[in-house]
Amino acid sequence: MENKKLYTINIKNWEKPIVGIIEYSSCKWIVIKRIAIDYMFDGISLIQRRHIKSCKRTKDNKFAEKVLAAKGVIDITIPQIPLESSLFPIKWLCSQQKVVEFWTVEESTSYVGKINEVRTIMFHWTSMSSRGKWLTDTFTLKIKDIVSIDIDTDYILSLLIYNQSQTWK
């Protein structure tokens, strides 16, 4: 995979692929600018390599890449997230107190929340409901079960804006 190129990434046991511009990677993780549909940039995704089935560049990817370059999406700067181990990006997200969406090995299962504590093989996090309310319970996820982590997507940012507008904070 080449940096600054658009790819279709197929995930093991998932029907829908993830499409994005490869920004940088390590032997454990890939960081992409996620392209939700057609030419729409929708945040950043960290994808664990262990869950990737295949990665390809189609004719459609090559054309879409030209459109995205013309829109300036290729040149958008993103944070440099440390990828040296499976834990480093999780620890970075915890230290930054980023609200993210975790996608697990079950394609239809995702969680929005903020990481509170990182352990060797798992992490603890606080969840935000799909209605934008912070839940009081702490949950646990195993790092190996995380397929991807989405950052600064429209969905997450919309929930945060809604949360800030409410009096039940």
Side-chain angles (χ1 to χ4, degrees):
M1 287 183 293
E2 205 176 325
N3 289 352
K4 305 294 183 190
K5 300 289 184 189
L6 185 68
Y7 286 87
T8 298
I9 302 166
N10 293 296
I11 303 298
K12 296 173 187 171
N13 301 314
W14 280 22
E15 283 185 34
K16 293 184 180 177
I18 297 172
V19 178
I21 300 163
I22 306 293
E23 285 297 306
Y24 50 93
S25 62
S26 71
C27 61
K28 302 281 185 188
W29 294 91
I30 296 171
V31 177
I32 66 168
K33 290 177 187 161
R34 192 167 190 139
I35 307 304
I37 51 170
D38 295 329
Y39 315 116
M40 190 177 88
F41 168 61
D42 192 23
I44 303 163
S45 290
L46 290 135
I47 304 169
Q48 276 203 84
R49 281 188 185 263
R50 73 186 317 154
H51 297 291
I52 294 175
K53 180 169 62 176
S54 66
C55 194
K56 62 185 175 188
R57 273 177 58 75
T58 65
K59 287 181 183 180
D60 288 342
N61 289 139
K62 291 173 185 176
F63 175 75
E65 186 179 291
K66 291 175 185 177
V67 174
L68 293 164
K71 284 181 64 178
V73 173
I74 304 284
D75 298 325
I76 295 171
T77 58
I78 64 168
Q80 194 66 34
I81 302 168
L83 304 178
E84 290 82 3
S85 76
S86 294
L87 286 176
F88 279 28
I90 309 295
K91 288 181 178 180
W92 182 84
L93 291 167
C94 182
S95 73
Q96 300 294 309
Q97 285 296 286
K98 284 287 208 182
V99 176
V100 299
E101 186 171 12
F102 307 104
W103 289 90
T104 64
V105 291
E106 291 184 40
E107 183 174 9
S108 60
T109 306
S110 72
Y111 308 97
V112 174
K114 193 177 346 181
I115 300 169
N116 302 327
E117 180 184 4
V118 181
R119 299 280 175 109
T120 308
I121 60 170
M122 66 183 66
F123 59 91
H124 303 286
W125 57 284
T126 304
S127 183
M128 178 179 272
S129 75
S130 61
R131 298 206 177 251
K133 185 172 183 176
W134 285 107
L135 306 177
T136 55
D137 295 337
T138 299
F139 300 91
T140 302
L141 277 172
K142 291 182 179 177
I143 294 169
K144 70 176 181 137
D145 293 337
I146 299 298
V147 171
S148 71
I149 303 171
D150 292 349
I151 307 166
D152 295 336
T153 63
D154 183 65
Y155 179 69
I156 296 166
L157 297 174
S158 297
L159 285 177
L160 289 171
I161 289 167
Y162 178 75
N163 176 272
Q164 293 297 315
S165 73
Q166 298 304 299
T167 56
W168 41 254
K169 296 180 226 177

